[in-house]
Amino acid sequence: MDYLNQIISGNIGWFHFITSILALISGTIVVLNTKGTTFHKRIGYIYVVNMIALNISSFFLMNFGGFSIFHFFAIISLVGVIGGIVPTIKKGKNWFGYHFYFMSWSVVGLYAALWSEVGTRFVRNMQEFWWMVALATLITVAI
């Protein structure tokens, strides 16, 4: 547990970590199960709530001295989650297409962030850090 305390900074860091794990679990469950069911909707709402909390909490983490590229991607992620949930509420023309598109990319972005986070734990300097982030993101998107 001491190692986790070294890489997770304070209560906001723990909140960010826990919501990310819950989003990963619920997002994976949604992806792997039948769409449109009550189960899908319930787990999907858990995913949405955790993604919104995860992204908002990221703005209170300042690992690079202020606003960084990771905050930019948190904004993109928020747009994706909102772009995926709003069509399911409004049920306008082609709502399913918008929901599928935005939620699919939301999950892909979440996994890209996961692999980037894991990969950067094995680098020695900032140059390797950025290459690892780029590599993990590109591989996740390609899959």
Side-chain angles (χ1 to χ4, degrees):
M1 193 63 131
D2 189 46
Y3 176 72
L4 283 179
N5 285 324
Q6 291 175 11
I7 63 171
I8 299 174
S9 57
N11 292 335
I12 295 293
W14 277 104
F15 180 80
H16 187 76
F17 175 72
I18 291 166
T19 56
S20 68
I21 297 300
L22 293 173
L24 283 162
I25 292 168
S26 57
T28 302
I29 291 170
V30 168
V31 166
L32 296 177
N33 282 279
T34 305
K35 309 301 177 264
T37 64
T38 301
F39 180 74
H40 168 88
K41 293 173 188 174
R42 287 181 180 158
I43 300 299
Y45 284 122
I46 292 169
Y47 173 77
V48 167
V49 166
N50 279 287
M51 284 299 292
I52 291 171
L54 166 68
N55 283 302
I56 291 172
S57 72
S58 74
F59 294 106
F60 296 94
L61 299 172
M62 301 293 174
N63 295 340
F64 293 94
F67 190 87
S68 72
I69 191 167
F70 299 108
H71 296 109
F72 170 76
F73 283 120
I75 293 169
I76 299 297
S77 180
L78 274 171
V79 169
V81 171
I82 292 167
I85 196 63
V86 168
T88 66
I89 296 167
K90 290 194 169 196
K91 299 279 189 195
K93 184 178 179 182
N94 198 25
W95 72 269
F96 179 76
Y98 289 114
H99 171 69
F100 182 80
Y101 177 82
F102 283 107
M103 285 304 185
S104 295
W105 280 110
S106 173
V107 172
V108 168
L110 180 62
Y111 272 96
L114 167 69
W115 300 127
S116 293
E117 184 68 32
V118 169
T120 58
R121 300 297 167 189
F122 300 100
V123 299
R124 296 179 300 261
N125 57 52
M126 287 307 286
Q127 183 179 3
E128 290 177 4
F129 175 91
W130 293 113
W131 277 110
M132 183 58 74
V133 169
L135 182 64
T137 301
L138 290 172
I139 291 171
T140 304
V141 170
I143 293 174

